[in-house]
Amino acid sequence: MALCSHTHLFPGARCRLQGLPHPEAFAAAPEPLDVYLRFSDGTAAAAELRTGDVTTLTVAAHTTAAGTPLDENAWVVKGFTLQQEEVELAIGARSPLPPPGTAE
């Protein structure tokens, strides 16, 4: 699971990955990961962290608690920081969505 600091993602937003078995190693060398995002308004969405030339976080379509529908989006992850036993993701610009059925 990852706790996000806002109701949606945008450049500069932060999410903290929780429950990783080896957070230090993950922060240093991230690996692909299925993630369950929990936003500050209590809503949630499935996401997939993809690594490669550019690390991205693809978030499934979901609706905020205020009723705002958000389409599926992919975001560049600018960096990973170890914060005690959690790994914080710094969200960058939007990224093109990966083609269906692809994985890295």
Side-chain angles (χ1 to χ4, degrees), residues 4 6-15 30 33 35 37 39 45-62 64 69-80 89-98 104:
C4 299
H6 295 278
T7 60
H8 59 283
L9 296 182
F10 55 88
R14 307 262 180 198
C15 295
L33 182 68
V35 182
L37 300 179
F39 295 96
E48 183 179 2
L49 183 70
R50 294 172 178 242
T51 59
D53 292 339
V54 176
T55 300
T56 59
L57 182 67
T58 302
V59 182
H62 60 284
T64 68
L70 300 173
D71 292 333
E72 178 181 34
N73 277 299
W75 299 89
V76 172
V77 178
K78 293 192 313 183
F80 296 85
L89 282 67
I91 303 299
R94 280 196 183 160
S95 176
L97 287 169
E104 290 191 34

